[in-house]
């Protein structure tokens, strides 16, 4: 949009044109979506706190935060759709455009970068058929529309660097070969990289060392 | 040979520790029972303050003192557990929550009782979906066992705990942005004062503590302030779970007494840089901490020693860069993160992070002159202290320290960039840019 077009658009806007809070009967909210949002609203002292949980519910239901989904959530919450859109566009994990339904976030922050994150991101893109430049600048979906790949800021998995979050689970350390295998598994519906799952990793320092005498002497520490 | 001192990480890999049965079998929830039977909230606050426990999220402020700032009296007060761990290089809270969620929940219940807060929110970053699921299960178990909710263990105390998942924003780790986000807004920091202890969540007095800080609470209640002070140094009592990452053989979380030589952490526990290479630079407290050099490896790892060296212990995350790493590239990666995460509310941070990235790109591509390095440094000076929160400062400090301590390398990068810069009319110009960086 040019500056002139933008000026004309803003000039044409009238307060009465702003979309108001949609009424529940005007939108057809799927039952499970409405239940999830209402359950989130009941958990907080003030219902607006449910904005992020409501958007999570929309994203889980539709695969991304669709304008219609946000309108439905707005009707349930009693806020304007624009309010929810302002939240959805602020946070990195909400998608406001359609994306592949399998999601790969590759950490490209310093600890992972020093251990080969750029090569890993490229390998994921090549295997999936996604544009590597776009993947590192907001995310890219594979040509077949299945897999969404995105270079992401520190995911907090630096102990398994270079790493990636695949469908909300952490995996690492990953080689370019692992990336190719993971994409294959995502496509075939197999379990993804079972031996690289962070959840199975033991403490880095190995088995419990002989406890320090001051710790051993405490019969009832919070955990020991 | 250095070894760990495991307090929070005791039994960390015990199978089933995340379940309430195992946690209780190992002595868990006794501190909460003791709190309800024997201790008045004031006694609890005194114990926490006397222990000298300092916040483990980054600022290092006395936890007991912070709790004592909350006004007394009958009003809605809140506790927020900051589990938005997003500081690059930091992953200690992740392991603490994933493996021992009940230790945290017990700490939250005790701290909420001490502060008189009826509601507690665990704000966990959205990326930690797996740990969020673990917490959901653990909170449900704790409700089922009567450790949370109305009338805890038959007392008059009430603590409601809600696990709140964020949606990806580093800024939400800043305590006032966290509050805005929890209220269902965009995560923008607030003007302080008023501080959250006076006016925080929903306008009520709010205590905000990090996961690791709260996980220490059951141990302090069980064993006393003097026991806790028996670990660490006078000004940095206790143990610390330190996340070591980057160029080391065995990256991971290591729980050590504060004050141990940094070299032991990096070389003995984490194995030092691979291939026999030497440490060139290291961040002692996440990527927001000014970098230190190999000459500073013998400093004790404590709040005071890091501050005296012009850096900070921060979140307790050591990121090691060895001789194979280019410092200008490291500076650019660091700056790019803060540029991406700046919420855009304050001009010095929004513009300063943007221009720092652009200037560092010029340095690397050979379009800069050494004089530009002074401009990079002056941009950093103009960010520090001029914004509502410290996000901008968190870029300015490490980038400024890199330019200052490794200026030769920046100048060499400018020269090297010039030498390899494309000649005019060279059609392959686009290919000779540092595309591997993926910078915009």
């Amino acid at each position: 949009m040019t500056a002139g077009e933008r000026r004309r658009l803003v000039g044409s806007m009238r307060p009465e044109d702003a979309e108001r809070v949609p009424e529940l009967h005007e939108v057809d909210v799927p039952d499970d979506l409405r239940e999830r949002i209402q359950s989130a609203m009941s958990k907080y002292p003030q219902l607006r706190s449910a904005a992020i949980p409501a958007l999570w519910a929309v994203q889980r239901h539709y695969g991304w935060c669709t304008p219609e989904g946000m309108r439905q959530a707005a009707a349930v919450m009693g806020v304007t759709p624009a309010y929810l859109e302002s939240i959805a566009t602020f946070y990195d994990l909400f998608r406001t455009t359609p994306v592949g339904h399998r999601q790969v976030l590759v950490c490209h922050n310093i600890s992972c970068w020093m251990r080969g994150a750029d090569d890993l991101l490229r390998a994921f893109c090549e295997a999936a058929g996604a544009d590597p430049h776009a993947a590192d600048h907001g995310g890219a979906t594979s040509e077949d529309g299945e897999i969404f790949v995105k270079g992401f800021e520190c995911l907090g998995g630096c102990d398994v660097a270079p790493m990636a979050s695949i469908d909300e689970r952490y995996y690492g350390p990953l080689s370019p070969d692992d990336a190719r295998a993971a994409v294959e598994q995502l496509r075939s519906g197999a379990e993804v990289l079972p031996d690289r799952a962070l959840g199975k990793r033991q403490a880095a320092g190995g088995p419990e060392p002989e406890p320090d005498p001051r710790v051993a002497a405490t019969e009832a520490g919070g955990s020991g | 040979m250095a070894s760990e001192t495991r307090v929070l990480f005791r039994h960390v890999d015990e199978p089933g520790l995340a379940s309430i049965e195992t946690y209780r079998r190992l002595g868990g929830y006794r501190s909460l029972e003791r709190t309800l039977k024997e201790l008045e909230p004031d006694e609890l606050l005194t114990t926490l303050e006397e222990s000298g426990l300092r916040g483990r999220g980054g600022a290092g402020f006395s936890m007991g003192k912070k709790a004592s700032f909350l006004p007394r009296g009958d009003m809605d007060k809140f506790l927020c557990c900051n589990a938005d761990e997003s500081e690059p290089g930091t992953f200690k809270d992740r392991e603490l929550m994933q493996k021992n969620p009940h230790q945290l929940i017990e700490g939250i219940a005790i701290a909420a009782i001490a502060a008189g807060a009826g509601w507690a929110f665990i704000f966990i970053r959205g990326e930690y979906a797996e740990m969020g699921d673990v917490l959901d299960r653990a909170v449900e178990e704790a409700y089922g066992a009567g450790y949370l909710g109305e009338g805890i263990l038959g007392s008059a105390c009430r603590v409601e705990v809600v696990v709140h998942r964020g949606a990806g924003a580093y800024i939400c780790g800043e305590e006032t942005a966290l509050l805005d986000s929890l209220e269902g807004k965009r995560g923008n920091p607030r003007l302080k004062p008023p501080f959250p202890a006076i006016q925080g969540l929903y306008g009520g007095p709010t205590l905000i503590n990090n996961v690791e800080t709260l996980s220490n609470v059951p141990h302090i209640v069980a064993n006393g302030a003097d026991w806790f002070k028996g670990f660490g140094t006078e000004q940095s009592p206790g143990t610390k779970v330190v996340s070591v990452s980057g160029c080391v053989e065995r990256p991971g979380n290591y729980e050590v007494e504060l004050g141990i030589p940094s070299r032991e952490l990096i070389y003995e526990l984490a194995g030092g840089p691979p291939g026999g290479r030497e440490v060139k630079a290291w961040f002692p407290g996440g990527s927001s901490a000014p970098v230190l050099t190999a000459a500073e490896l013998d400093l004790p790892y404590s709040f005071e020693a890091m501050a005296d060296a012009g850096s900070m212990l921060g979140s307790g995350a050591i990121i090691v860069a060895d001789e194979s790493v280019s410092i200008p590239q490291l500076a650019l990666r660091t700056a790019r993160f803060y540029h991406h995460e700046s919420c855009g509310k304050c001009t010095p941070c929004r513009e300063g992070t943007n221009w720092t990235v652009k200037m560092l790109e010029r340095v690397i591509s050979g379009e800069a002159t050494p004089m530009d390095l002074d401009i990079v440094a002056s941009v950093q000076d103009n960010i520090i202290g001029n914004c509502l929160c410290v996000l901008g400062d968190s870029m300015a400090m490490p980038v400024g320290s890199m330019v200052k301590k490794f200026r030769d390398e920046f100048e060499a990068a400018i020269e090297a960039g010039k030498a390899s810069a494309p000649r005019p009319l060279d059609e392959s110009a686009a290919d000779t840019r540092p595309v591997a960086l993926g910078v915009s």
Side-chain angles (χ1 to χ4, degrees):
Chain A
M1 194 186 290
T2 66
E5 284 167 351
R6 190 179 172 77
R7 238 188 337 269
R8 275 192 293 282
L9 178 69
V10 172
S12 73
M13 290 175 176
R14 294 287 172 269
E16 55 273 26
D17 298 337
E19 189 173 2
R20 54 192 174 73
V21 178
E23 297 291 340
L24 261 176
H25 63 79
E26 295 170 345
V27 287
D28 191 14
V29 191
D31 286 344
D32 65 321
L33 180 61
R34 196 186 59 236
E35 277 160 28
R36 273 199 216 171
I37 296 172
Q38 284 172 339
S39 141
M41 283 158 65
S42 69
K43 278 169 45 180
Y44 298 90
Q46 291 187 8
L47 69 87
R48 280 202 177 202
S49 285
I52 289 179
L55 288 167
W56 274 122
V58 170
Q59 184 152 304
R60 295 219 192 285
H61 190 88
Y62 293 103
W64 57 289
C65 290
T66 62
E68 188 50 29
M70 285 195 276
R71 234 178 130 237
Q72 293 165 350
V76 177
M77 286 185 67
V79 298
T80 61
Y83 179 77
L84 287 184
E85 199 179 331
S86 80
I87 309 297
T89 51
F90 185 85
Y91 296 97
D92 281 343
L93 290 174
F94 290 135
R95 312 267 95 85
T96 48
T97 49
V99 292
H101 69 285
R102 309 304 298 267
Q103 176 185 271
V104 180
L105 307 178
V106 183
C107 176
H108 63 192
N109 208 294
I110 49 182
S111 287
C112 282
W113 164 68
M114 288 192 278
R115 299 178 81 95
D118 290 355
D119 290 341
L120 182 63
L121 178 61
R122 217 170 297 122
F124 267 112
C125 289
E126 275 165 21
D131 175 11
H133 182 82
D136 207 21
H137 293 81
T141 296
S142 59
E143 280 158 17
D144 62 3
E146 286 289 303
I147 302 173
F148 176 70
V149 187
K150 182 171 157 78
F152 212 81
E153 294 303 348
C154 187
L155 286 160
C158 327
D159 47 346
V160 290
M163 56 81 63
S165 165
I166 302 174
D167 287 344
E168 304 197 329
R169 291 290 178 268
Y170 282 13
Y171 300 88
L174 302 180
S175 67
D177 280 338
D178 292 322
R180 288 183 272 275
V183 168
E184 200 67 27
Q185 287 154 340
L186 284 173
R187 288 225 161 95
S188 68
E191 186 185 357
V192 176
L193 303 173
D195 58 337
R196 290 280 188 276
L198 176 76
K200 296 176 185 166
R201 196 177 144 91
Q202 305 270 300
E208 193 93 22
E210 197 58 35
D212 183 282
R214 292 161 295 177
V215 180
T218 66
E219 198 219 6
S223 71
Chain B
M1 182 72 190
S3 72
E4 291 185 69
T5 308
R6 291 191 185 171
V7 177
L8 303 185
F9 260 14
R10 185 116 196 258
H11 309 301
V12 69
D13 285 320
E14 179 83 15
L17 180 62
S19 74
I20 199 163
E21 294 82 31
T22 309
Y23 181 69
R24 289 194 47 169
R25 177 167 58 76
L26 296 168
Y29 284 112
R30 284 190 210 159
S31 294
L32 178 60
E33 287 164 18
R34 180 158 179 254
T35 298
L36 292 163
K37 283 199 194 109
E38 299 169 25
L39 298 169
E40 290 297 318
D42 278 349
E43 282 177 81
L44 267 174
L45 285 178
T46 312
T47 306
L48 289 173
E49 200 166 337
E50 277 175 359
S51 74
L53 171 62
R54 296 175 67 165
R56 304 300 200 223
F61 193 75
S62 158
M63 190 251 172
K65 202 166 271 168
K66 202 173 181 182
S68 72
F69 289 157
L70 266 70
R72 310 294 161 93
D74 195 17
M75 61 187 94
D76 284 340
K77 287 181 255 188
F78 302 96
L79 173 73
C80 289
C81 168
N82 188 342
D84 191 59
E85 181 172 69
S86 308
E87 175 74 18
T90 316
F91 45 89
K92 63 190 176 66
D93 297 341
R94 189 204 73 211
E95 195 161 2
L96 283 168
M97 290 188 285
Q98 180 165 23
K99 295 186 173 171
N100 200 348
H102 285 287
Q103 176 175 255
L104 171 63
I105 292 168
E106 185 177 9
I108 287 174
I110 297 170
I113 291 166
W119 286 85
F121 296 90
I122 305 177
F123 189 108
I124 182 167
R125 65 182 298 197
E127 293 87 345
Y128 284 177
E130 199 170 348
M131 301 79 210
D133 293 347
V134 171
L135 282 176
D136 277 340
R137 272 195 300 278
V139 166
E140 200 177 312
E141 283 180 331
Y143 267 103
Y147 293 125
L148 297 176
E150 195 88 52
I152 300 174
L153 298 177
S155 71
C157 290
R158 174 191 180 216
V159 179
E160 304 289 345
V161 174
V162 177
V163 179
H164 179 91
R165 293 160 196 244
Y170 171 69
I171 187 68
C172 292
E174 197 280 330
E175 58 180 17
T176 60
L178 182 149
L179 296 176
D180 262 24
S181 182
L182 194 46
E183 289 179 2
K185 302 171 188 157
R186 292 159 72 90
N188 288 325
R190 300 175 181 176
L191 181 66
K192 291 187 272 191
F195 289 93
I198 308 300
Q199 205 179 77
L201 189 66
Y202 309 127
T206 306
L207 176 64
I208 305 167
N209 283 126
N210 169 263
V211 169
E212 188 185 353
T213 315
L214 289 164
S215 295
N216 267 295
V217 169
H219 301 277
I220 294 171
V221 171
N223 305 303
D226 287 335
W227 171 84
F228 187 75
K229 283 194 283 191
F231 298 92
T233 70
E234 199 186 330
Q235 291 174 60
S236 305
T239 60
K240 177 87 191 71
V241 181
V242 184
S243 304
V244 189
S245 70
C247 304
V248 287
E249 289 278 6
R250 292 184 296 276
N253 285 314
Y254 297 92
E255 184 173 3
V256 296
E257 271 190 78
L258 281 164
I260 79 159
S262 306
R263 182 185 295 277
E264 283 184 18
L265 253 167
I266 295 172
Y267 276 90
E268 292 182 23
L269 289 171
R277 291 194 292 269
E278 294 296 325
V279 171
K280 190 197 265 183
W282 55 291
F283 297 85
S287 71
S288 303
V291 295
L292 299 176
T293 62
E296 289 156 305
L297 279 169
D298 288 312
L299 289 174
Y301 195 68
S302 65
F303 286 102
E304 62 275 19
M306 291 302 133
D308 289 347
S311 189
M312 60 182 191
L313 190 98
S315 55
I318 295 179
I319 309 170
V320 179
D322 69 19
E323 348 169 63
S324 68
V325 176
S326 148
I327 298 292
Q329 302 268 20
L330 180 65
L332 176 57
R333 276 290 152 152
T334 309
R336 209 171 67 154
F337 168 73
Y338 293 97
H339 174 222
H340 178 84
E341 298 294 344
S342 174
C343 78
K345 188 168 180 172
C346 311
T347 312
C349 169
R350 183 184 65 239
E351 296 301 321
T353 53
N354 180 29
W355 283 105
T356 302
V357 168
K358 286 191 174 159
M359 288 162 81
L360 289 171
E361 283 170 11
R362 280 161 50 95
V363 166
I364 288 162
S365 65
E367 293 165 54
T369 66
M371 215 174 77
D372 287 337
L373 292 175
D374 297 328
I375 302 176
V376 173
S378 85
V379 169
Q380 313 315 314
D381 289 343
N382 281 300
I383 296 173
I384 293 176
N386 289 330
C387 304
L388 285 181
C389 83
V390 294
L391 189 144
D393 301 24
S394 301
M395 176 203 69
M397 294 189 297
V399 170
S401 73
M402 282 185 244
V403 174
K404 193 168 155 216
K405 291 185 177 176
F406 296 93
R407 194 176 170 106
D408 295 357
E409 224 180 290
F410 283 87
E411 287 173 355
I414 292 171
E415 287 309 311
K418 276 205 176 73
S420 66
R423 293 182 306 278
L425 302 176
D426 185 343
E427 286 189 356
S428 66
D431 297 333
T432 58
R433 298 272 309 209
V435 284
L437 276 173
V439 289
S440 51

